[in-house]
Amino acid sequence: MKLCTCVNFLVIVTTFCSILSKVNSSKNDTNSYSFVLACGATNNATDADGRIWSPDSTYLSSSSSSNSITSKAKYQDPSLTSDIPYMTARIFKTQTAYTFPISPKSRHWIRLHFYPSSYDNFNCSNSFFSVTVGEFTLLNNFSASIIAQALTQAYIIREFTLVPLQTSTLNITFSPSSVYKDAFAFINGVEIVSMPEIFQAATMVGFTDQTTDTQDSFMQTMFRLNIGGQYIPAGNDSGLGRIWYDDAPYLFGASFGITSVANNSLKIAYPSNLPEYIAPVDVYRTARSMGPNPDVNRNYNLTWIFQIDANFTYLVRLHFCDFEMKRMNQRVFNIYINNQTALEDVDLIALYAAQGVPAYKDFVIYATAQPGDDQEMWVALHPSDKTRAQFYDVILNGLEIFKINDTTGNLAGPNPVPSPPPVLATDSQPKPSFASNKTSKKGIIAGSVVGMAAGFGIVLGVLAFVKRRKNMSNGGNKSSRGGWLPIYSSSRTTETRTTISGKSSRSSHISNMGGGLCRRFSFDEIKHGTKNFDESRVIGVGGFGKVYRGEIDGGTIVAIKRANPSSEQGLHEFQTEIDLLSKLRHRHLVSLIGACEDNGEMILVYDYMANGTLREHLYKHNKPPLSWKQRLDICIGAARGLHYLHTGARYTIIHRDVKTTNILLDDKWVAKVSDFGLSKTGPNLHQTHVSTMIKGSFGYLDPEYFRRQQLTEKSDVYSFGVVLFEVISGRPALNPSLPKEQVSLADWALHCHRRNTTKEIVDPHIKGEIIQECLKQFVDTAVSCLSDHGTDRPSMGSVLWNLEYCLQLQSNPDGPKVVAEQKANDAYAMHTELLSIEEEGGEGQESEDHSTEAAFSQIVNPQGR
Ligand SMILES: *[C@@H]1O[C@H](CO)[C@@H](O)[C@H](O)[C@H]1NC(C)=O
Ligand SMILES: *[C@@H]1O[C@H](CO)[C@@H](O)[C@H](O)[C@H]1NC(C)=O
Ligand SMILES: *[C@@H]1O[C@H](CO)[C@@H](O)[C@H](O)[C@H]1NC(C)=O
Ligand SMILES: *[C@@H]1O[C@H](CO)[C@@H](O)[C@H](O)[C@H]1NC(C)=O
């Protein structure tokens, strides 16, 4: 047994090392250069990430220039995170080529950016074309419009890597399809980036003795994920301009494992044979593993699923860096790709004899599928049983999937099937209309057609599925979670924002402002609006500074937050935050209206919440007590806001300070989560803070956060559990004047729950109103939020579902008897996401609430179907 293990290690050591050294030796020393072109633009311009895009005309011959038209998009989709390069385009009516001077010996990235919109008289739904480089076909019969629609993204990026061409020019040819009448080609952005050789021969899965040379083929990047980490923008990737996306949308099933971040004190040390450009350190600093419970881990595979084009060969690159284990045989695992064993008994510490050593491993696999079958790639990890490792766990830090050209030099897959009409899904019987449309057999990954031509950074499964049901066309977004975001749907701009008290005639004006990017206020406007920061107008004081009640536009009441001059938050960070916040729009989040940065000020202007904080309506303020129904509504609203932060934004945003003073109420008693984003959690640039700085409020703090110094969205779930108990008990999270065992509400509530005396903590004001079953459901939900381990806590989505279920129990106790609770819970595992996201479109609130209720009752009441 022992011997056999050692032999195994050795084998792996040699495969890993031989491959890595090959990279090094074949690395060539050409100077790096790049062309970053905004097509159709006339001047250099800088995008939101700070990259400079130059005009493209230099790279077209004069005859080609005259064959093409430059144009500006008529409409800027609000989800475009940057108008550059997307708002300008070059349109080709006949075959035309760009010509770039290149180094013959260098490998290159090509990135093509498409924003299928309307340009002058050109509607991109009529655009079908191919893109070729010499004998290689990158795209064929390509419709950016269909693909963007299928992905529910406003724009798409295609990335290819070209082998050294041995010529000093690179021609990229755009050819409008000859099949469709009036077809044309268009392009918004082109990047050509010289790159070091990062590919080499790789093992064929299932054929240990066989390697496939990937050095002579063109490849298309299908997926590039920072596993367990966050979005890494192009600018942060060692000059190669790669984008790394969050992996969460690709995880299969409910077993998400846990994410972790390397401790700041641990140096991630690239070995001498692994150049840093293989992947940025942020990829290796974060990981996903299975979780602390070996019995649970033994029973599942940590699995990611990707939509691919069948009948192509793929290169799958896994990036590893174990920063948690210290000794050999602590974490040993197997790698499976498409149900085949790719590698067994991987022990990273044994391989590299140290913690925190980055490494990667390539596999090549040919993906087959019969027409009508799912075209999927499964990557699964499972703890190895053989070596009796100390922990039954796995780890993965990054994942890239490249499609390799076929024998004819083609890389193009078919266009996706257009989106099916909105249909309600059920777990037991997929609707026929979907079945005929390539629905996944697994039901929950119903987005199968979506990803096939996907490029990278796409939405998968349930999420895409939901979006298609919504059939919204305007929610595109470049996040890996794709375009189902309810941000800025165009209908919002006409909606009267109920959130702004004051003259409603002004409301739509502000909404319009908010519909673009963040509105800029002058310092004079702010000074005027707050009567020169009059102390009598202060409505709140926080770590960030003071919040004033102010007026803008001659009467609209707003909340104005002025950063303390001594606030540690730098201007750059402030701007990043504004960019982030101004893109978050949700009915249950306090909206940022604008900002002022004059004179080095850092001022944020928000919707004014007429009814103040949730806390002041629960205790101590002598306000009339809220009814139980009102309290439930508020909890549901807040849960929706948090669910959106966790799953709906470009980054997973952890609030970090969920408490009753951060849940605000507008004049219609709609709950809105406030104070998010500024807690340095959002974008990946703040990642390090996530593991180091303790922020949050005592009484609400996740105990696991203390133990592991690791923040996940489950920390918010914990705090929200405390909020739920605060709401039902009408007492503060901490009350030092009470007997010792009662000081902490969380501890006390759990104690009462264990002794079955929960009734005693219910606020006397509402005791008579609550229906027994509803109380039980509510308390059970709150208790599960307070689970000691994050992995045992429900997601915000399931908390939301449970609260809706409570409301149903409360408002309709004699209604049709709902399915047994457990059954309902299973149903929700399936539908939670659908339900809650469905709900959040943002437009037409009345009718929407109604339809949600309908969807809801369908789920809990099987007879209703
Ligand atoms: C535009 O940017 C490119 C690349 O940074 C630079 O070489 C060029 O001089 C700039 N052109 C103008 C007109 O600023
Ligand atoms: C994990 O995946 C492998 C390969 O697909 C499969 O053989 C194995 O049964 C799976 N294990 C579990 C626990 O699902
Ligand atoms: C893949 O190739 C096989 C064999 O040539 C063929 O039967 C099948 O239809 C192809 N699948 C797709 C999805 O094109
Ligand atoms: C990719 O295309 C080139 C040129 O047609 C060809 O030589 C090469 O074999 C192809 N690669 C694969 C893996 O088929």
Side-chain angles (χ1 to χ4, degrees):
M1 176 70 204
K2 257 230 149 99
L3 183 70
C4 139
T5 311
C6 291
V7 170
N8 244 321
F9 287 150
L10 272 180
V11 171
I12 301 166
V13 172
T14 45
T15 31
F16 266 77
C17 293
S18 62
I19 279 167
L20 293 178
S21 48
K22 208 168 162 194
V23 166
N24 216 24
S25 60
S26 61
K27 176 190 161 192
N28 46 34
D29 294 322
T30 46
N31 292 326
S32 65
Y33 54 86
S34 63
F35 305 95
V36 181
L37 308 180
C39 304
T42 46
N43 293 307
N44 277 358
T46 308
D47 72 10
D49 287 332
R51 301 176 87 202
I52 298 173
W53 296 72
S54 307
D56 62 333
S57 49
T58 327
Y59 306 98
L60 288 167
S61 65
S62 53
S63 65
S64 318
S65 294
S66 60
N67 278 345
S68 66
I69 300 161
T70 63
S71 180
K72 276 200 159 52
K74 284 189 192 153
Y75 165 71
Q76 176 166 4
D77 190 287
S79 69
L80 284 182
T81 43
S82 169
D83 54 346
I84 296 160
Y86 299 104
M87 288 304 286
T88 61
R90 187 170 294 273
I91 290 164
F92 307 105
K93 289 194 287 183
T94 57
Q95 190 177 82
T96 314
Y98 283 103
T99 303
F100 299 93
I102 55 159
S103 152
K105 298 256 186 297
S106 174
R107 184 178 269 279
H108 293 88
W109 295 117
I110 294 187
R111 294 191 192 95
L112 304 175
H113 299 251
F114 302 98
Y115 173 45
S117 181
S118 270
Y119 300 95
D120 293 320
N121 298 324
F122 296 92
N123 180 342
C124 285
S125 53
N126 297 327
S127 161
F128 290 87
F129 57 98
S130 65
V131 178
T132 52
V133 171
E135 60 188 316
F136 293 92
T137 304
L138 307 187
L139 301 172
N140 188 30
N141 193 28
F142 174 74
S143 167
S145 178
I146 292 178
I147 292 168
Q149 218 175 348
L151 299 176
T152 66
Q153 292 184 174
Y155 64 97
I156 48 184
I157 306 174
R158 285 301 157 96
E159 182 182 275
F160 303 92
T161 173
L162 313 189
V163 299
L165 292 180
Q166 317 298 345
T167 60
S168 55
T169 56
L170 160 64
N171 291 321
I172 305 179
T173 307
F174 288 77
S175 315
S177 163
S178 52
V179 179
Y180 297 92
K181 192 167 165 282
D182 297 331
F184 61 94
F186 79 100
I187 178 81
N188 301 87
V190 175
E191 294 174 65
I192 313 288
V193 183
S194 73
M195 61 185 279
E197 182 58 79
I198 60 169
F199 298 104
Q200 63 289 135
T203 323
M204 222 33 211
V205 173
F207 304 88
T208 40
D209 52 342
Q210 208 169 320
T211 59
T212 299
D213 212 343
T214 55
Q215 270 165 314
D216 301 326
S217 301
F218 279 29
M219 289 188 265
Q220 178 186 343
T221 310
M222 302 295 283
F223 303 92
R224 179 175 290 127
L225 306 179
N226 180 12
I227 305 281
Q230 288 168 319
Y231 176 86
I232 301 176
N236 292 12
D237 184 27
S238 50
L240 294 180
R242 291 171 295 194
I243 297 173
W244 299 75
Y245 292 90
D246 176 6
D247 68 316
Y250 305 95
L251 282 163
F252 171 69
S255 311
F256 273 45
I258 55 170
T259 61
S260 48
V261 185
N263 203 309
N264 264 352
S265 58
L266 179 75
K267 183 160 165 37
I268 302 293
Y270 286 76
S272 58
N273 59 0
L274 186 78
E276 295 198 14
Y277 51 68
I278 289 292
V281 70
D282 282 346
V283 170
Y284 294 116
R285 286 201 82 84
T286 58
R288 190 178 293 277
S289 49
M290 298 188 99
N293 187 332
D295 296 323
V296 173
N297 297 353
R298 239 182 281 230
N299 285 319
Y300 85 99
N301 282 345
L302 190 58
T303 306
W304 293 261
I305 298 188
F306 305 93
Q307 304 305 315
I308 52 164
D309 298 326
N311 292 349
F312 279 97
T313 304
Y314 289 86
L315 171 64
V316 181
R317 172 168 291 186
L318 284 72
H319 296 269
F320 297 105
C321 178
D322 197 328
F323 45 76
E324 289 167 335
M325 300 301 160
K326 289 203 167 70
R327 291 190 304 278
M328 273 168 60
N329 209 27
Q330 287 188 315
R331 165 152 49 200
V332 183
F333 57 94
N334 299 337
I335 302 168
Y336 304 102
I337 301 178
N338 277 359
N339 261 343
Q340 300 181 60
T341 303
L343 196 58
E344 284 187 297
D345 306 326
V346 180
D347 181 339
L348 297 166
I349 301 299
L351 289 170
Y352 301 108
Q355 261 192 320
V357 180
Y360 72 90
K361 179 71 184 129
D362 286 344
F363 302 96
V364 169
I365 187 159
Y366 182 73
T368 51
Q370 291 311 307
D373 276 4
D374 298 328
Q375 305 185 6
E376 288 169 350
M377 174 90 72
W378 293 62
V379 176
L381 303 179
H382 191 74
S384 165
D385 267 329
K386 265 194 232 154
T387 67
R388 297 174 191 276
Q390 186 179 355
F391 304 101
Y392 279 82
D393 205 349
V394 306
I395 187 169
L396 186 63
N397 306 64
L399 178 62
E400 293 174 279
I401 298 180
F402 303 94
K403 176 164 67 175
I404 302 175
N405 71 252
D406 67 15
T407 48
T408 65
N410 175 50
L411 270 172
N415 282 321
V417 180
S419 310
V423 183
L424 255 185
T426 68
D427 52 339
S428 48
Q429 335 140 269
K431 291 284 194 230
S433 61
F434 266 102
S436 64
N437 233 327
K438 289 177 61 89
T439 306
S440 158
K441 281 168 296 198
K442 284 109 218 152
I444 109 171
I445 38 170
S448 65
V449 294
V450 168
M452 49 195 270
F456 51 104
I458 63 161
V459 198
L460 252 207
V462 173
L463 304 181
F465 178 48
V466 168
K467 183 58 198 304
R468 283 192 284 147
R469 289 169 55 208
K470 289 227 62 164
N471 216 9
M472 278 165 61
S473 56
N474 50 6
N477 166 286
K478 98 171 167 195
S479 109
S480 58
R481 292 169 181 276
W484 52 278
L485 277 189
I487 49 173
Y488 289 161
S489 72
S490 58
S491 55
R492 264 204 93 89
T493 48
T494 52
E495 168 196 342
T496 305
R497 286 262 282 275
T498 54
T499 52
I500 295 170
S501 58
K503 297 184 183 106
S504 61
S505 60
R506 311 294 299 190
S507 320
S508 61
H509 173 60
I510 291 189
S511 297
N512 280 327
M513 304 303 295
L517 287 170
C518 182
R519 174 172 173 189
R520 303 285 149 171
F521 287 93
S522 71
F523 190 57
D524 280 345
E525 267 177 289
I526 301 289
K527 234 161 78 178
H528 184 75
T530 54
K531 297 269 185 294
N532 202 11
F533 303 103
D534 193 309
E535 284 296 309
S536 71
R537 288 173 167 258
V538 173
I539 51 175
V541 183
F544 175 83
K546 285 183 180 168
V547 186
Y548 300 82
R549 184 170 174 278
E551 275 179 28
I552 53 165
D553 301 334
T556 305
I557 299 175
V558 292
I560 295 179
K561 202 174 203 175
R562 185 188 195 190
N564 211 320
S566 63
S567 161
E568 57 189 87
Q569 199 165 21
L571 191 62
H572 175 73
E573 204 167 324
F574 177 72
Q575 272 164 342
T576 317
E577 299 291 3
I578 292 177
D579 288 345
L580 176 72
L581 293 188
S582 60
K583 278 167 202 128
L584 291 172
R585 287 280 182 259
H586 190 272
R587 178 166 151 85
H588 295 287
L589 297 182
V590 171
S591 296
L592 181 69
I593 296 171
C596 166
E597 297 169 68
D598 295 357
N599 314 340
E601 290 278 348
M602 294 184 279
I603 295 172
L604 298 174
V605 180
Y606 294 94
D607 283 346
Y608 179 70
M609 295 293 126
N611 276 314
T613 67
L614 171 57
R615 176 173 298 176
E616 64 200 68
H617 297 281
L618 293 175
Y619 45 83
K620 280 194 187 155
H621 277 262
N622 296 327
K623 300 207 168 160
L626 298 169
S627 74
W628 172 233
K629 172 88 170 27
Q630 269 178 313
R631 292 182 199 205
L632 262 182
D633 281 335
I634 289 167
C635 292
I636 289 171
R640 278 203 188 117
L642 288 171
H643 178 56
Y644 172 77
L645 283 181
H646 289 175
T647 61
R650 174 171 162 184
Y651 312 95
T652 296
I653 295 169
I654 304 167
H655 188 297
R656 305 221 291 170
D657 203 7
V658 175
K659 54 183 177 183
T660 43
T661 42
N662 279 337
I663 297 172
L664 304 185
L665 302 165
D666 74 3
D667 52 340
K668 304 253 176 12
W669 298 97
V670 174
K672 303 200 181 237
V673 177
S674 79
D675 225 9
F676 46 90
L678 287 175
S679 46
K680 296 190 179 177
T681 56
N684 55 314
L685 30 154
H686 305 322
Q687 213 164 57
T688 49
H689 298 279
V690 173
S691 61
T692 55
M693 270 186 33
I694 291 200
K695 186 176 179 296
S697 303
F698 288 102
Y700 295 91
L701 267 181
D702 172 6
E704 192 173 49
Y705 180 26
F706 271 124
R707 281 198 306 271
R708 305 188 51 171
Q709 297 288 295
Q710 244 175 44
L711 199 67
T712 70
E713 58 268 33
K714 294 295 180 67
S715 310
D716 284 352
V717 173
Y718 182 91
S719 308
F720 192 70
V722 179
V723 166
L724 292 179
F725 276 121
E726 231 176 312
V727 164
I728 200 154
S729 66
R731 59 150 281 188
L734 281 185
N735 186 348
S737 63
L738 289 172
K740 196 162 154 254
E741 72 275 12
Q742 297 186 25
V743 169
S744 154
L745 174 58
D747 291 347
W748 178 236
L750 289 176
H751 177 76
C752 292
H753 183 252
R754 277 192 296 271
R755 290 191 322 172
N756 250 327
T757 56
T758 327
K759 271 193 190 150
E760 287 169 25
I761 65 167
V762 176
D763 186 347
H765 292 115
I766 51 170
K767 224 168 198 160
E769 282 179 71
I770 307 182
I771 284 174
Q772 177 61 31
E773 282 170 71
C774 176
L775 174 65
K776 180 174 184 313
Q777 176 76 15
F778 188 90
V779 169
D780 286 351
T781 307
V783 165
S784 66
C785 292
L786 297 185
S787 300
D788 211 30
H789 294 285
T791 43
D792 299 334
R793 293 174 208 148
S795 69
M796 231 29 244
S798 54
V799 173
L800 175 57
W801 191 93
N802 277 292
L803 293 175
E804 301 215 13
Y805 186 48
C806 283
L807 186 63
Q808 195 84 350
L809 288 172
Q810 178 73 31
S811 16
N812 198 5
D814 304 321
K817 267 296 159 230
V818 293
V819 288
E821 199 173 320
Q822 190 48 49
K823 192 108 176 270
N825 274 318
D826 292 342
Y828 105 57
M830 227 53 175
H831 290 287
T832 284
E833 300 289 342
L834 306 184
L835 188 65
S836 43
I837 293 162
E838 168 90 347
E839 228 280 336
E840 289 166 359
E843 68 268 70
Q845 287 149 7
E846 299 311 316
S847 63
E848 190 173 80
D849 284 346
H850 187 76
S851 70
T852 308
E853 217 158 277
F856 178 84
S857 54
Q858 289 225 357
I859 290 162
V860 292
N861 174 16
Q863 283 87 38
R865 284 181 190 147

